[in-house]
Amino acid sequence: MSAPPHPADAHDVLRVRGARENNLQDVSLDLPKRRLTVFTGVSGSGKSSLVFSTIAAESQRMINETYSSFLQGFMASLARPDVDELRGLTTAIIVDQERMGANVRSTVGTVTDASAYLRTLFAQLAEPHVGGPGAYSFNVPSVTASGAMTVQKGARTIAEKATYSRVGGMCPRCEGMGTISDVDLTELYDEDKSLDEGPFTIPNYAPGGWYVKIFAASGFYPSDKPIRTFTKRQLHDFLYKEPTKISIDGMNMTYEGLIPKIQKSMLNKDRESMQPHVRAFVDRAVKFITCPDCEGTRLAEHARTSRIDGVSIADAAALQITDLATWVEQLRARHSAPTVAPLLANLSALLESFVRIGLGYLSLDRPSGTLSGGESQRTRMIRHLGSALTDVTYVFDEPTIGLHPHDIATMNQLLLALRDKGNTVLVVEHKPETIAIADHVVDLGPGAGSHGGQLQYQGDVAGLRASDTLTGRHLDRRTELKARVRERTGAIAIRGADHHNLQQVDVDIPTGVLTVITGVAGSGKSSLVHGALPRGMDVTVVDQTGIRGSRRSNPATYTGVLEPIRKAFAKANGVKPALFSNNSDGACPVCKGAGVIFTELGFMETVSTPCEECEGRRFQAGVLEYRLGGANIADVLEMSVEQALAFVSSPASKVPAAATLLRHLDEVGLGYLTIGQPLTTLSGGERQRLKLATHMGGTGGVFVLDEPTTGLHLADVGNLLALLDRLVDAGRSVLVIEHHQAVMAHADWIIDLGPGAGADGGRIVFEGTPAELVADGSTLTGKHLREYVGR
C-alpha cells in the first residue's frame, strides 16, 4: 500500500486571487510552479502589473520583512499590492530591462565580478609581483601615511611612530577615469571684466551669486581690476589654488581655485546625468582626451607592466570576451596549483556564461553605461546561470530585446535551463519564438489601460493559437514583402567608419526612404548609426534611454500638452494659468503638489501616504472648483490619452493645440497612457514612443529609431509600420535599427552588418531591398527573413 502524499508536496501552484493593481480588474488565476509561463497581451494590458507589481513585489516585500528594522531602513519601501490573496509565493529574482547605471567607474567587468577574479589572478601569477588584488584595480588609489600612534602600556602612554601604505592600481594622472579634461579658459570667463562686474559664463555663477562673492572677497587678487591684468601668482590663485580657509563677512569659508572647483562640481559627474544647460556648458568648454600616462587603461604604471605571459591586466580586460576565455583556458592547462586552479575554473565558467548568453563580443573594460537595455538585462542574467538555487521564481521583462532572430533560440535555451533546474520562470514577452516554448500562457487584454486588465486566456500554446484572442489571431500572422519600394532622393555618404568594431566601413545610406539596419547583437549597427553619421546633419534620435525628470513629470508636461490646457482653463474661468499647475500657484499647500506625504521614520522605512488634504489629487480645493467642459484640471490629468483627446476635441472644451499633440501620442500607440502618470513608471518602449510623438510634427531631416518594436504587441507592429510610412511620406529620411522581421520586410532598403559580433562583425555583408535579401539568403538575417516570409 503506497504512502499518502506528503502535505508539503501539494503546493505546486502559485495562486492569485483578486488582483487589482493599476488597471487589473479582479484577476484570479493559478500559475504552475517549476514551469515556464509567458504573459502576453498588448502594451498596457496589465502584464507588468500582474507579474512585477503584484507577484514579484509581494515576494520581495515579504522577504524584506524578515530583515531587522535597521536593515529595512536602507531598503526601498514596498507597499502591499492591491490583491485579495497570494499563495505559494517563492523568492522572486527580477531580471528587467533597465539600463545599468552610467557611473564612469563602472564596467562590464566590475558589475559581473569578472574583474575581481582577474585582479586576484594577476596578484597570484603576474611578474613582477606588485601587490594584492587592489594593486590592479583602477578604483583603488595608492596612498602612504605616517604619524604617531598612542599606545597604553600599564600606567604609561607611549607615542610610537607608525606608517601606513597601500598599493592601488589607479592611474594618479586621470584618477582611474581613463580620460583627462582640458578646459578652454575663454569659455569660463571674460578676461576683460573684473570680478565685481561678473565675468563668469559658467552655469550657476551669476553676478551677485554666492560663488562669485567668494571669489571676489577672497583677497588673493583685486576684485575691481580686469582678470587679464592679474599677475602670474594672482592668476594661479584664481584658477588653481588648493582649498584654503578664508573669512567672508565673519563666516569661515573654504576657497578653492576655479578649475578644481568646476572639476569637482561638474566634470566628475557622468555627462548623461547632468542638467541640459550644464551639459551644454561642459560640451562647449571642456575637451576630454585620453590620459597620456595610462593611455586610457585607467591603471598605474606598476599595474600595466606586471604581466602574465606578456599579457597585462589592461590587455586582458580589453580582449573580446571570447578571446579572453580562450586565454584563460590556456592558463588552466598549465596551472594546477590549489591556489590558482579554482580561481581559473570560476573565471572560465563566468566567461563561458557571457558567450552562452550572446555577449561574447563585449570586453570587460566596456563602460556599463554604454550597454543597451537588452545587453544590461542579459548581463544581469549571467550571475543566475550558474546558481545552485532551486525553487526560485525568475521574472523576466522581454528578454529577447536587442536580440537578432538567430540569438533568440539561445535565449530560449537559457530560459528552459533555468526551468529545468526546478525554478518557476515568468516571462513577459511579445516574440512568437519565445511564446512557442512556454509550458503555460497567460493572455491579458482585450485592450490597454482601462480597456485591459482582464484575463483573456490561460493554457498551453496550442490553445492560445486556436483561441479568438488578439494574441491568438496574430501569433502566426506575417508581414509580406513590399511589392514596390520607394526611390531614394539622395544618399548620406559614410567613408572609413572605424567607430568601436567597425572595420573601415564605406556605405551610402539612402535618403527619402525607410532604411533598416540589421545584424546580430554586437555587429556594429549602433556604432554605424550613432557614431558614423556626419556631424552637423539634421538628425533626430529617438531611443529608449530614460527621460530626465522627477516623479512630478508626466506625459502631459513632457509633451507640452498641459500648457494649452492650462491656458484654456484660465481663459474660461478668468484666472491666471499658474493656478492649474501642481508645481506652481495651484499646488496643494500640504503635499506641495506631490499628491503624497513622505514620512521619515528614522532607521525604519520611509512611508508614503496619500495626502489627506487633496486626497492625492495634488491641487488646492479652490482650484478644483474651476471647470472646463464639466471637468476640473485634476480630472483631466486622470484621463487616458484617448479620453483627453475626446475631451479637448469636444465643442465645450475645445483646445486645438492640445488635440494635435494628443493625436500624435495616440498614433504612436500610447492611447492607453494616463496623461498625468509619472514618467518614472514608463517602460523603455513607452519612453521611446513618447519621444517619437514629440517629434511627429516636423518635416525633413533624418529620423533615427533604435528598435521601435520594443514592448509592442504583434497586433501593434502594423500600426508602427503605418506610422513609419507617414514619417517618410512627410519628407523624413527614416533610419531604423531593428531585429523584427516585419520591419525588415516593410523596408525600402536594408543594410546588413556582420557576419558575427564584436571583432567578427563590423562589416557590411548586404545592401539592397528586402526581396533581394531573401533571394540572396547568404547572411543570417537573410535566412531568418526568408523563413519569416515563407520563401
Side-chain angles (χ1 to χ4, degrees), residues 153-164:
K153 290 188 176 182
R156 293 183 305 160
T157 300
I158 300 174
E160 296 182 353
K161 287 186 176 181
T163 60
Y164 168 80

Side-chain angles (χ1 to χ4, degrees), residues 285-305:
V286 182
K287 181 181 179 183
F288 292 94
I289 59 175
T290 301
C291 175
D293 286 8
C294 68
E295 298 179 338
T297 63
R298 308 174 180 224
L299 293 164
E301 184 180 4
H302 64 261
R304 300 195 307 273
T305 53

Side-chain angles (χ1 to χ4, degrees), residues 633-670:
I633 188 67
D635 295 333
V636 174
L637 288 172
E638 290 166 6
M639 293 178 182
S640 68
V641 169
E642 289 177 345
Q643 294 167 336
L645 179 57
F647 173 77
V648 298
S649 301
S650 66
S653 52
K654 201 164 188 177
V655 188
T660 301
L661 295 169
L662 288 166
R663 197 169 291 112
H664 290 160
L665 285 170
D666 195 34
E667 286 174 349
V668 299
L670 294 179

Side-chain angles (χ1 to χ4, degrees), residues 11-137:
H11 303 282
D12 288 332
V13 295
L14 194 162
R15 291 184 175 85
V16 181
R17 297 291 181 268
R20 293 177 296 275
E21 193 68 21
N22 296 329
N23 68 328
L24 295 177
Q25 300 183 30
D26 249 351
V27 171
S28 298
L29 74 165
D30 292 341
L31 301 175
K33 285 187 178 179
R34 294 174 288 282
R35 296 293 184 271
L36 173 60
T37 300
V38 175
F39 294 79
T40 61
V42 298
S43 299
S45 61
K47 305 183 298 298
S48 295
S49 297
L50 178 59
V51 178
F52 292 95
S53 304
T54 302
I55 297 172
E58 180 64 358
S59 172
Q60 289 200 320
R61 189 185 72 86
M62 297 186 77
I63 289 170
N64 286 359
E65 286 186 348
T66 66
Y67 299 124
S68 66
S69 296
F70 175 76
L71 287 178
Q72 288 184 44
F74 296 97
M75 297 176 179
S77 174
L78 298 174
R80 187 184 187 280
D82 189 1
V83 59
D84 291 337
E85 183 183 24
L86 281 171
R87 294 286 180 188
L89 287 177
T90 64
T91 302
I93 295 176
I94 298 174
V95 189
D96 60 21
Q97 54 179 286
E98 283 299 312
R99 290 175 183 249
M100 291 188 175
N103 187 303
V104 290
R105 297 187 180 278
S106 177
T107 65
V108 170
T110 60
V111 298
T112 58
D113 294 335
S115 289
Y117 283 131
L118 206 57
R119 292 196 299 268
T120 307
L121 177 67
F122 272 80
Q124 292 281 345
L125 297 180
E127 294 292 340
H129 179 74
V130 295
Y136 298 92
S137 172

Side-chain angles (χ1 to χ4, degrees), residues 560-584:
V561 165
L562 191 57
E563 188 64 23
I565 291 177
R566 287 171 52 223
K567 289 179 178 177
F569 265 93
K571 185 177 180 181
N573 293 279
V575 293
K576 57 183 179 179
L579 275 177
F580 303 99
S581 169
N582 63 301
N583 295 322
S584 186

Side-chain angles (χ1 to χ4, degrees), residues 99-108 110-111 138-139 175-177 268-273 298 365-370:
R99 290 175 183 249
M100 291 188 175
N103 187 303
V104 290
R105 297 187 180 278
S106 177
T107 65
V108 170
T110 60
V111 298
F138 56 76
N139 285 326
E175 297 184 345
M177 299 289 191
N268 285 349
K269 294 180 179 178
D270 176 65
R271 181 183 176 278
E272 294 304 315
S273 67
R298 308 174 180 224
D365 64 358
R366 169 90 173 259
S368 61
T370 65

Side-chain angles (χ1 to χ4, degrees), residues 189-484:
Y189 55 83
D190 183 350
E191 64 175 7
D192 291 323
K193 289 185 177 180
S194 68
L195 289 164
D196 290 341
E197 294 171 320
F200 296 107
T201 56
I202 307 168
N204 305 322
Y205 281 66
W210 187 247
Y211 286 150
V212 179
K213 187 174 182 179
I214 291 176
F215 279 101
S218 67
F220 296 118
Y221 34 76
S223 64
D224 58 350
K225 294 182 180 179
I227 296 173
R228 60 179 169 74
T229 65
F230 285 3
T231 65
K232 189 174 182 180
R233 178 65 188 177
Q234 289 171 341
L235 188 62
H236 177 272
D237 286 348
F238 173 58
L239 293 175
Y240 303 109
K241 192 173 184 64
E242 64 279 358
T244 306
K245 295 292 184 182
I246 61 173
S247 178
I248 299 178
D249 296 338
M251 293 185 292
N252 291 326
M253 307 293 298
T254 299
Y255 173 87
E256 190 173 23
L258 182 63
I259 299 300
K261 195 173 190 69
I262 291 175
Q263 285 177 328
K264 289 179 182 178
S265 62
M266 297 182 186
L267 305 188
N268 285 349
K269 294 180 179 178
D270 176 65
R271 181 183 176 278
E272 294 304 315
S273 67
M274 297 175 183
Q275 294 176 297
H277 69 290
V278 176
R279 191 185 314 138
F281 162 73
V282 170
D283 289 345
R284 184 179 74 245
V286 182
K287 181 181 179 183
F288 292 94
I289 59 175
T290 301
C291 175
D293 286 8
C294 68
E295 298 179 338
T297 63
R298 308 174 180 224
L299 293 164
E301 184 180 4
H302 64 261
R304 300 195 307 273
T305 53
S306 178
R307 302 173 184 272
I308 300 176
D309 298 339
V311 177
S312 70
I313 192 169
D315 298 332
L319 285 174
Q320 186 168 299
I321 286 175
T322 49
D323 297 333
L324 180 60
T326 302
W327 181 71
V328 170
E329 280 302 309
Q330 292 170 353
L331 291 180
R332 286 188 71 187
R334 301 201 312 274
H335 296 277
S336 57
T339 56
V340 179
L343 177 64
L344 285 168
N346 288 337
L347 178 56
S348 180
L350 180 58
L351 297 176
E352 180 57 31
S353 295
F354 271 102
V355 177
R356 283 176 58 204
I357 210 164
L359 294 177
Y361 59 88
L362 297 178
S363 59
L364 296 186
D365 64 358
R366 169 90 173 259
S368 61
T370 65
L371 300 181
S372 68
E375 288 170 334
S376 297
Q377 185 177 36
R378 297 199 295 283
T379 301
R380 290 190 190 96
M381 190 176 176
I382 285 171
R383 69 184 62 181
H384 305 301
L385 295 180
S387 172
L389 292 173
T390 60
D391 258 333
V392 170
T393 299
Y394 285 99
V395 184
F396 290 92
D397 188 6
E398 292 190 66
T400 60
I401 284 176
L403 286 183
H404 189 272
H406 173 71
D407 299 317
I408 291 178
T410 304
M411 175 58 71
N412 286 347
Q413 291 303 314
L414 294 172
L415 294 173
L416 292 172
L418 283 174
R419 177 203 65 184
D420 293 345
K421 284 171 58 178
N423 298 305
T424 303
V425 182
L426 308 181
V427 182
V428 174
E429 189 54 83
H430 294 290
K431 293 287 177 64
E433 297 95 327
T434 300
I435 296 173
I437 67 166
D439 301 306
H440 191 73
V441 178
V442 175
D443 190 43
L444 294 170
S450 59
H451 304 303
Q454 302 172 38
L455 186 62
Q456 299 297 292
Y457 171 84
Q458 63 171 325
D460 59 16
V461 178
L464 175 66
R465 192 169 271 114
S467 71
D468 192 34
T469 65
L470 192 63
T471 305
R473 292 195 299 271
H474 284 82
L475 199 56
D476 296 317
R477 190 171 293 182
R478 298 291 182 264
T479 300
E480 296 184 359
L481 292 172
K482 272 185 176 179
R484 294 175 58 189

